[in-house]
């Protein structure tokens, strides 16, 4: 759609009413200022949204520099001094049509485009980007990423990319100073420094994408040339002691690295995909401190109910949630609370993610016949007080865990269900007798993890009526209690707004927190489980007894300024 002016675009996207737009046009005529200057002065929308609107008005592509990876060979074509002077970011290169994509705050600056074409010898394609993002990108990529840019350029120039020779069982690799070795080293170092939990090396048709999972969200950081893929994968395989010539079958391995004194254990998984081999590396920090239950996000009645269940001498406590929802971290926090010199604590895990003092941790080894079930049988002969089973995956493990709880042991485990009320029906579906389950089960915890707003750049937005209605409907009477507290403190209710800064890598979020629902098994709930009542009816009874759902817990944390409404809806809307 073609717009006559910027104000029309703002009206079309509901940033302005038609009446407000007419006032801006009148002000423009009276003051002589441009409509852009007036819009920016009035702070009608964020800088990022304004850049998007302006791109739509000018009919040019828009790029969010926080959501794309950059190509080191593209960065090498434009010196830092030129990028800073003209406020341009070279982020992608297409060798086929000899073009270079450049992000600019003014993509219609033909003089700068002509200069860059002469400088690089390539056709320049422009995209609109927000000024602060351009400045941050130049600062970060040119100053912090010099290593990988230089080494990718060297690797492409040499066309001898960290070659490996195979002679029988002997494998020789070139010096660790080779460009590819340094590229892999840079990829790993960035992961440790940015608090990433996983690294994805993904082959695409024309390039190789490097993504990091930071605070639970995958973020693309690098785009490498296609012809370095084999060498990068081979380098990782050498480090993980995998077969470099086996490219048709998935492989698993591990190795350790140390970055600035931080010891990290990496679990490697390779997988043949359409355009080559994909590598995923899981980072497990050895010296990571186990957080306390309040640090994780537990509070109030939920915390009280969980602690009371933990303090019982026997029974089973189950933590529920999908993969990556922080279940294991919660169990480690619980174990850290109960593991004293007076009790014998044994765990079976796949894998062992934290090394805990005073805890006997067993790693599952299916090939050797060591499964959750077989380990659990052995544990009962080890005079345990507390048993942790990493996951209840089958009927045998479920029955053994229940029996261990009934014979005087305190058992912790995890289960894949959406919420707390779904755990008892799932266990019954696995073949556990309802009367045995209610005798053993003391508490069910369900959780999700979401990102916390960055304290360095967070601002507050006024609570709008549509958001207020959503929160009020979900929280019910709890909302009125919170609103009264705000009123007593003489404040109006606000919501946190993430802006982005260097500390949070321009995302607006830093660190994570969990939202919980803790359901103790009361007499009424136990009776409902025996009668095989539906999960929805069990949840209603638990809420009547004071349980907050995960969504409610999330909205409370939003009103406390810990996270955003969008984050809660992203993880708890089901």
């Amino acid at each position: 759609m073609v717009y006559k002016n910027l104000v029309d675009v703002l009206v079309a996207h509901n940033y302005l009413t038609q009446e407000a737009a007419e006032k801006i046009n009148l002000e423009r005529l009276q003051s002589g200022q441009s409509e852009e200057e007036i819009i920016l002065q009035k702070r009608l929308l964020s800088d990022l949204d304004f850049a998007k609107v302006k791109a739509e008005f000018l009919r040019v592509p828009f790029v969010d520099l926080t959501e794309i990876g950059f190509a080191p060979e593209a960065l090498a074509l434009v010196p830092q001094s030129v990028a800073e002077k003209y406020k341009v970011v070279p982020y992608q290169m297409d060798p086929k049509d000899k073009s270079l994509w450049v992000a600019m705050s003014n993509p219609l600056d033909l003089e700068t485009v002509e200069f860059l074409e002469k400088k690089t010898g390539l056709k320049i394609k422009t995209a609109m980007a927000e000024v602060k993002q351009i400045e941050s990108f130049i600062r970060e990529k040119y100053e912090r990423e010099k290593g990988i840019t230089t080494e990718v350029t060297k690797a492409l120039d040499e066309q001898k990319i960290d070659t490996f020779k195979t002679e029988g069982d002997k494998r020789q690799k070139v010096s660790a100073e080779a460009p590819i070795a340094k590229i892999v080293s840079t990829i790993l170092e960035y992961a440790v420094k940015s608090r990433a939990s996983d690294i994805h090396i993904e082959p695409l048709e024309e390039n190789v994408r490097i993504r990091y999972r930071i605070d639970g969200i995958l973020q693309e950081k690098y785009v490498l040339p296609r012809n370095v893929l084999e060498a990068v994968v081979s380098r990782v395989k050498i480090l993980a002691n995998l077969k470099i010539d086996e490219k048709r079958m998935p492989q698993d391995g591990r190795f350790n690295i140390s970055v600035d004194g931080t010891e990290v254990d990496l679990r490697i998984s390779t997988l043949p995909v359409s355009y080559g081999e994909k590598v995923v590396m899981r980072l497990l920090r050895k010296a990571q401190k186990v957080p306390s239950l309040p640090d994780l996000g537990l509070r109030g009645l939920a915390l009280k109910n969980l602690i009371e269940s933990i303090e019982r001498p026997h029974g089973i406590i189950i933590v529920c949630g999908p993969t990556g929802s922080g279940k294991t971290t919660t169990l480690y926090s619980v174990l850290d609370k109960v593991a004293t010199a007076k009790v014998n604590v044994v765990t079976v895990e796949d894998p062992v993610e934290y090394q805990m003092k005073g805890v006997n941790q067993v790693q599952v080894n299916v090939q050797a016949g060591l499964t959750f079930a077989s380990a659990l049988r052995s544990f009962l002969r080890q005079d345990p007080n507390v048993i942790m089973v990493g996951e209840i995956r089958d009927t045998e493990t479920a029955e053994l865990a229940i029996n261990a709880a009934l014979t005087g042991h305190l058992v912790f485990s995890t289960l894949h269900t959406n919420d707390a009320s779904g755990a008892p029906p799932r266990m019954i579906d696995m073949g556990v007798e309802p009367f045995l389950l209610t005798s053993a089960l003391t508490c069910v915890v369900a959780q999700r993890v979401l990102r916390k707003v960055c304290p360095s750049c967070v601002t507050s937005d006024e609570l709008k009526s549509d958001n207020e209605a959503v929160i009020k409907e979900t929280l019910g009477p709890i909302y009125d209690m919170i609103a009264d507290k705000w009123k007593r403190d003489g404040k109006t209710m606000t919501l946190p707004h993430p802006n982005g800064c260097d500390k949070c890598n321009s995302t607006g979020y830093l660190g994570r927190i969990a939202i919980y629902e803790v359901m103790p098994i009361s007499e009424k709930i136990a009776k409902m489980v025996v009668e095989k009542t539906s999960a929805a009816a069990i949840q209603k009874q638990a809420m009547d007894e004071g349980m907050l759902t995960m969504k409610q817990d999330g909205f409370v944390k939003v009103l406390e300024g810990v996270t955003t409404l969008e984050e809660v809806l992203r993880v708890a809307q089901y």
Side-chain angles (χ1 to χ4, degrees):
M1 185 175 177
V2 179
Y3 296 98
K4 289 182 181 178
N5 50 47
L6 266 173
V7 171
D8 289 345
V9 191
L10 293 178
V11 172
H13 289 283
N14 297 318
Y15 288 113
L16 274 180
T17 61
Q18 190 61 50
E19 187 183 349
E22 289 169 6
K23 285 182 180 177
I24 287 176
N25 282 326
L26 184 63
E27 190 175 336
R28 178 176 61 84
L29 293 170
Q30 290 174 343
S31 66
Q33 290 180 297
S34 69
E35 60 179 355
E36 185 173 332
E37 288 172 331
I38 295 168
I39 291 165
L40 290 173
Q41 280 174 10
K42 290 182 179 293
R43 301 292 297 167
L44 298 169
L45 66 170
S46 69
D47 293 339
L48 185 65
D49 287 335
F50 179 74
K52 289 178 185 175
V53 165
K54 191 175 176 183
E56 187 173 344
F57 172 60
L58 297 174
R59 286 189 286 171
V60 296
F62 172 81
V63 61
D64 186 341
L65 294 176
T66 64
E67 294 184 358
I68 62 161
F70 81 101
E73 73 272 25
L75 204 69
L77 292 169
V78 179
Q80 184 176 353
S81 56
V82 173
E84 287 174 340
K85 182 178 178 181
Y86 294 99
K87 293 285 187 292
V88 297
V89 164
Y91 65 92
Q92 190 177 313
M93 182 181 169
D94 190 343
K96 289 182 181 176
D97 66 355
K98 294 184 178 179
S99 64
L100 179 68
W101 276 98
V102 174
M104 304 171 67
S105 59
N106 180 13
L108 301 184
D109 184 352
L110 300 179
E111 194 176 322
T112 299
V113 171
E114 188 179 346
F115 169 76
L116 290 173
E117 284 183 340
K118 286 180 181 176
K119 181 82 178 170
T120 61
L122 299 170
K123 181 184 176 184
I124 299 297
K125 295 181 179 180
T126 60
M128 168 78 78
E130 195 257 313
V131 180
K132 287 179 184 174
Q133 283 193 1
I134 290 173
E135 292 170 349
S136 176
F137 192 99
I138 291 169
R139 208 163 43 242
E140 181 183 341
K141 304 306 178 190
Y142 278 101
E143 293 175 13
R144 300 181 198 171
E145 313 289 351
K146 284 178 184 173
I148 195 164
T149 304
T150 306
E151 300 310 328
V152 167
T153 308
K154 276 185 190 176
L156 292 173
D157 289 344
E158 291 173 11
Q159 292 298 314
K160 295 175 183 177
I161 312 167
D162 205 5
T163 53
F164 299 88
K165 298 177 183 177
T166 307
E167 298 176 4
D169 289 329
K170 293 179 182 177
R171 291 185 296 180
Q172 299 176 335
K173 62 179 178 12
V174 295
S175 163
E177 297 300 311
I180 289 298
K182 287 188 177 178
I183 290 171
V184 173
S185 176
T186 304
I187 289 170
L188 295 174
E189 283 179 18
Y190 184 90
V192 176
K193 290 175 180 176
S194 62
R195 302 172 296 105
S197 60
D198 301 85
I199 307 169
H200 292 239
I201 300 174
E202 300 174 301
L204 305 177
E205 187 175 3
E206 296 179 349
N207 49 45
V208 181
R209 179 168 66 174
I210 312 295
R211 294 195 291 173
Y212 296 89
R213 191 174 292 281
I214 302 170
D215 291 335
I217 304 292
L218 274 174
Q219 299 178 18
E220 187 177 319
K221 290 297 175 187
Y222 303 120
V223 179
L224 302 180
R226 185 78 176 80
N227 55 352
V228 305
L229 172 66
E230 197 171 327
V232 167
V233 173
S234 294
R235 174 67 182 164
V236 173
K237 283 182 173 181
I238 286 289
L239 291 170
N241 200 29
L242 301 177
K243 296 177 183 176
I244 59 172
D245 54 346
E246 177 55 83
K247 300 176 183 178
R248 299 164 302 169
M249 295 288 290
Q251 295 186 71
D252 294 313
R254 60 189 293 178
F255 64 91
N256 299 320
I257 59 169
S258 178
V259 177
D260 295 340
T262 302
E263 292 286 331
V264 181
D265 187 18
L266 290 106
R267 307 293 169 92
I268 314 302
S269 171
T270 69
L271 181 72
V273 293
S274 299
Y275 298 109
E277 280 186 284
K278 176 177 176 177
V279 178
V280 174
M281 296 183 262
R282 165 64 57 90
L283 283 77
L284 302 170
R285 288 156 181 80
K286 290 184 177 179
Q288 194 160 336
K289 184 177 174 287
V290 177
S292 68
L293 292 173
D295 288 343
L296 292 176
L298 274 161
R299 63 194 62 187
L301 185 62
L303 179 60
K304 178 176 175 286
N305 285 335
L306 181 56
I307 288 175
E308 282 178 0
S309 300
I310 293 166
E311 288 174 347
R312 292 187 184 184
H314 54 80
I316 182 167
I317 296 170
I318 293 176
V319 182
C320 307
T323 302
S325 61
K327 301 186 298 293
T328 306
T329 304
T330 297
L331 286 182
Y332 278 129
S333 298
V334 170
L335 286 183
D336 192 50
K337 193 170 180 63
V338 300
T340 65
K342 295 179 180 179
V343 295
N344 177 23
V345 182
V346 288
T347 76
V348 54
E349 305 168 56
D350 185 19
V352 174
E353 293 186 20
Y354 295 90
Q355 298 290 342
M356 294 190 71
K357 288 182 180 178
V359 176
N360 304 288
Q361 295 172 275
V362 176
Q363 167 87 43
V364 164
N365 187 341
V366 178
Q367 290 177 334
L370 182 57
T371 63
F372 283 118
S374 63
L376 198 44
R377 277 198 207 91
S378 300
F379 284 174
L380 297 176
R381 296 190 291 272
Q382 287 282 320
D383 185 30
N385 298 102
V386 179
I387 298 171
M388 185 186 103
V389 184
E391 186 185 336
I392 293 176
R393 293 179 179 173
D394 50 44
T395 303
E396 187 181 10
T397 309
E399 288 178 344
L400 286 167
I402 294 294
N403 287 331
L406 290 171
T407 52
H409 303 91
L410 184 57
V411 180
F412 301 104
S413 192
T414 69
L415 193 65
H416 288 286
T417 61
N418 281 335
D419 51 25
S421 58
R426 175 66 61 86
M427 295 283 281
I428 291 168
D429 286 344
M430 282 183 170
V432 177
E433 290 292 342
F435 69 91
L436 290 178
L437 179 62
T438 53
S439 301
L441 190 61
T442 57
C443 186
V444 183
V445 179
Q447 67 178 90
R448 300 286 189 279
V449 283
L450 38 74
R451 295 179 294 172
K452 294 196 292 185
V453 291
C454 173
S456 301
C457 61
V458 66
T459 54
S460 296
D461 285 347
E462 189 180 336
L463 182 59
K464 294 179 181 176
S465 56
D466 53 344
N467 287 336
E468 184 180 14
V470 171
I471 295 171
K472 201 168 186 177
E473 184 185 354
T474 303
L475 289 181
I478 302 166
Y479 176 83
D480 296 327
M481 291 166 59
I482 296 170
D484 286 343
K485 187 179 183 305
W486 279 81
K487 196 178 286 184
R488 285 197 305 273
D489 294 342
K491 299 175 184 176
T492 55
M493 292 183 80
T494 58
L495 296 181
H497 178 79
N499 292 293
C501 62
D502 287 344
K503 286 186 179 178
C504 60
N505 200 21
S506 301
T507 61
Y509 296 95
L510 187 68
R512 292 196 285 176
I513 196 165
I515 52 175
Y516 289 93
E517 55 187 46
V518 177
M519 185 179 80
I521 307 301
S522 64
E523 285 185 23
K524 285 185 179 179
I525 291 175
K527 187 180 177 185
M528 294 172 83
V529 171
V530 171
E531 293 170 353
K532 298 187 179 180
T533 310
S534 69
I538 292 172
Q539 183 182 57
K540 185 178 182 305
Q541 178 59 36
M543 290 175 71
D544 290 343
E545 293 175 9
M547 181 188 83
L548 284 184
T549 64
M550 285 181 285
K551 197 171 178 183
Q552 288 176 327
D553 187 29
F555 282 174
V556 170
K557 288 181 169 76
V558 169
L559 295 175
E560 289 174 351
V562 176
T563 187
T564 62
L565 204 59
E566 293 76 18
E567 274 295 289
V568 176
L569 295 175
R570 178 178 68 83
V571 302
Q573 187 80 302
Y574 54 85

